[in-house]
Amino acid sequence: MGFADLLEEVGGFGRYQWLHVTLISLPGLLMASQNLLNNFVSGIPAHHCSLPTNHSLHNLSHYQVEEKQFIKAFIPMDSSGTRLDRCKRYVEPQWQLLLPNNTGNVSELQTEGCLDGWTFDDSEFLATTVSEWELVCSLRPLKQMIQTIYMGGVLAGAIIFGGLSDRFLSGMAVSGIILNGVSLKVEWIPTKERTLVGTLSSFFFTFGQMILAGLAYWLRDWRKLQLVVCAPMFLFFSYSWWYVESARWLVLNRQSEEALKSLHRVARINGKPEVVDKLTLEVLHSHMNKEIESSRSTYTAYDLLKTRAMRRISICLVVVWFSTSFAYYGLAMDLQKFGVSIYQMQLIFGAVDFPAKLMALGMLTYLGRRVSQATCLFVSAVIIFANIFVPTDMQTTRTVLACLGKGFTSASFTTVYLYTGELYPTVIRQTGMGFVSTMARIGSMAAPAVLILDEVFPALPSMVYGGSAVLAGCFACFLPETLNIPLPDTIEDVEERWSVTSPAPRKEEGVSLKEGVDICVGGVASTEDVTLKEPKEAEGTGLNAL
């Protein structure tokens, strides 16, 4: 592609690209904290009904009985018989239950709801929204609603920033940072480095998950935790003005002078000052003449579905994004069910991403995008289904399988972010990212709500999560391959490459920054320090359209 040649001339993947990718990726350290914050902000401490006011532990301190034993006279055991019931208490104290040889039938004893509220254990959390607002028992669905509201903000951000309650606004901001960052990164990275850079930059999100575990363990108060993970965003905002706008996007939006300034700046930072004098508007236009002629000023979401290849790509990506996000947050937002410290589980769930993403890097490099995407989804589905058949008392096995499932869904996320940026053309890439990310946010909104289904049938949430991953894996098989293929700039590029099974090779002419030859731009000859390259073929590939 013409712009790919220009990118190599100004330094390829040089000093600027390293700084650019690193600075854009740094906010990812706290994006994980934002997306998974509800695990700790709305963590559920151990709790039981408060004792009647006339039978408080203070008033009954003269009894020579341990507190844990004393409470059994007021609170029945739950159905498992291993812990106190969280939503019921005896109507009258049952002192006989404190006797060492008591054999009475407790199932016949009269119980009532928690009329005096709840008592929460503060050994794991000092304060959460659940303990502060008593979101337990009949109000338990509201705990999941907090995460759904946050993801609603991420959904709104995907819509708003794709074209351009405090948790809701946080979600909007997170979506804007992620979507704009992905597009801005991929458009300044040469073709051969995209896979490596895309995968390695996703490790910032992985480190962020582990940082979240440490911060939550240190603070243990939901307000302090929220403040600490949000405050650094002001630092990231302060240096965001240093970023260079995508020159590719500027040219296609009739802002060639600004694009030229961007390329000159990148060349200087990359230690290529000699390129500044040689790279002119004529050279820039000669590289991207075809793309400029076929582009127009504005595109809408309708263009994602208007033509054959774009429609096939968009429909498949919608399903893949929805199901990946749905399964990922279904696993990542239910850490307290494993019987292990929630802080340890968050750390383990973060650490498992390292081998998962390294595996994804190898698959993306050698097997291609399509095979990697489908494989990650199918394997995660198999693991989720397998966990259904593991007995609940085998917590270690269940935890290991959950970690593996989370690892493969994380690898799927890494793949689909890179894959989507390569499938959509520059003129509509940001709109496309916003469109498919909207579907992902719908999936992440639905995931917490599905967890409530375990009250109907314990295996039902896993069946739903696994089924969606299977469906998405099937749709991923219909996406075209993009391994080692230059980024498309226009919708016409996409249609030529992928609307038929074997598209004819397309010849393009580019201009290099060598000296001593005349060129002709738009029919007017001008003498520049440039030479025409030999025509080269851009091979296309694809599947039959839907």
Side-chain angles (χ1 to χ4, degrees), residues 31-320:
M31 292 301 99
S33 297
Q34 293 289 345
N35 286 348
L36 303 175
L37 198 59
N38 202 52
N39 278 331
F40 302 97
V41 166
S42 299
I44 304 177
H47 58 277
H48 58 77
C49 293
S50 295
L51 304 188
T53 53
N54 59 331
H55 290 297
S56 68
L57 292 177
H58 176 72
N59 294 337
L60 298 171
S61 58
H62 59 279
Y63 283 87
Q64 299 300 314
V65 181
E66 291 185 7
E67 180 179 331
K68 291 183 179 179
Q69 293 297 321
F70 182 82
I71 292 176
K72 292 181 180 179
F74 295 86
I75 311 296
M77 303 301 287
D78 66 4
S79 57
S80 68
T82 59
R83 67 182 183 185
L84 298 174
D85 195 287
R86 296 185 170 189
C87 301
K88 293 184 293 185
R89 71 182 186 185
Y90 294 122
V91 174
E92 296 292 338
Q94 305 298 317
W95 303 114
Q96 73 277 10
L97 298 179
L98 302 181
L99 298 175
N101 297 320
N102 176 66
T103 58
N105 187 359
V106 296
S107 62
E108 297 179 356
L109 299 176
Q110 190 175 5
T111 59
E112 61 185 3
C114 299
L115 303 181
D116 295 295
W118 287 263
T119 298
F120 292 90
D121 177 53
D122 60 1
S123 62
E124 191 170 32
F125 305 102
L126 294 179
T128 70
T129 57
V130 171
S131 61
E132 189 166 315
W133 302 332
E134 298 188 337
L135 303 181
V136 293
C137 298
S138 62
L139 296 181
R140 182 187 166 214
L142 294 181
K143 182 256 186 184
Q144 305 296 351
M145 187 62 66
I146 294 175
Q147 180 69 10
T148 299
I149 290 172
Y150 168 78
M151 287 301 178
V154 179
L155 168 61
I159 297 172
I160 295 171
F161 293 108
L164 334 96
S165 153
D166 54 348
R167 293 293 287 157
F168 185 85
L169 296 177
S170 295
M172 289 183 62
V174 165
S175 191
I177 293 170
I178 293 175
L179 294 181
N180 287 289
V182 169
S183 292
L184 200 53
K185 274 190 291 187
V186 75
E187 290 178 11
W188 278 111
I189 299 174
T191 301
K192 63 177 181 289
E193 281 90 8
R194 281 203 310 261
T195 301
L196 179 63
V197 173
T199 303
L200 293 183
S201 61
S202 70
F203 279 109
F204 283 85
F205 193 89
T206 299
F207 279 114
Q209 295 179 62
M210 303 175 74
I211 290 172
L212 173 61
L215 290 175
Y217 182 79
W218 171 44
L219 297 170
R220 301 195 182 214
D221 181 285
W222 74 276
R223 285 190 173 86
K224 292 178 182 178
L225 182 60
Q226 185 108 17
L227 178 63
V228 168
V229 300
C230 291
M233 292 300 171
F234 290 102
L235 172 63
F236 302 140
F237 171 77
S238 67
Y239 69 65
S240 63
W241 305 104
W242 179 85
Y243 300 146
V244 176
E245 181 58 87
S246 166
R248 192 192 301 259
W249 181 87
L250 288 170
V251 170
L252 296 176
N253 283 272
R254 305 295 194 270
Q255 299 181 51
S256 298
E257 292 82 3
E258 293 299 318
L260 190 62
K261 291 179 183 177
S262 295
L263 287 166
H264 286 172
R265 181 183 173 191
V266 171
R268 284 192 291 267
I269 294 175
N270 281 343
K272 297 272 189 178
E274 70 278 3
V275 173
V276 174
D277 294 330
K278 301 174 184 178
L279 180 53
T280 64
L281 280 176
E282 289 79 6
V283 174
L284 179 61
H285 287 163
S286 69
H287 273 75
M288 303 190 68
N289 188 49
K290 181 178 182 295
E291 288 81 1
I292 293 172
E293 290 177 356
S294 61
S295 68
R296 63 176 190 264
S297 57
T298 59
Y299 288 87
T300 65
Y302 174 66
D303 292 291
L304 298 172
L305 301 170
K306 186 176 180 180
T307 55
R308 193 176 185 185
M310 290 292 292
R311 182 166 55 249
R312 174 165 60 107
I313 289 170
S314 296
I315 291 173
C316 291
L317 285 178
V318 161
V319 179
V320 171

Side-chain angles (χ1 to χ4, degrees), residues 420-437:
T420 303
E422 294 177 339
L423 285 168
Y424 281 132
T426 302
V427 293
I428 201 170
R429 181 171 295 117
Q430 188 68 0
T431 301
M433 291 292 294
F435 177 69
V436 295
S437 182

Side-chain angles (χ1 to χ4, degrees), residues 20 173 217 268 289 349 410 416 428 546:
H20 180 74
Y217 182 79
R268 284 192 291 267
N289 188 49
F349 265 35
S410 179
V416 77
I428 201 170
L546 288 174

Side-chain angles (χ1 to χ4, degrees), residues 326-351:
F326 184 62
Y328 180 91
Y329 286 103
L331 292 170
M333 297 305 300
D334 196 21
L335 300 184
Q336 288 186 282
K337 72 177 182 181
F338 297 106
V340 181
S341 166
I342 188 173
Y343 306 105
Q344 292 180 8
M345 281 305 303
Q346 181 62 59
L347 194 64
I348 294 170
F349 265 35

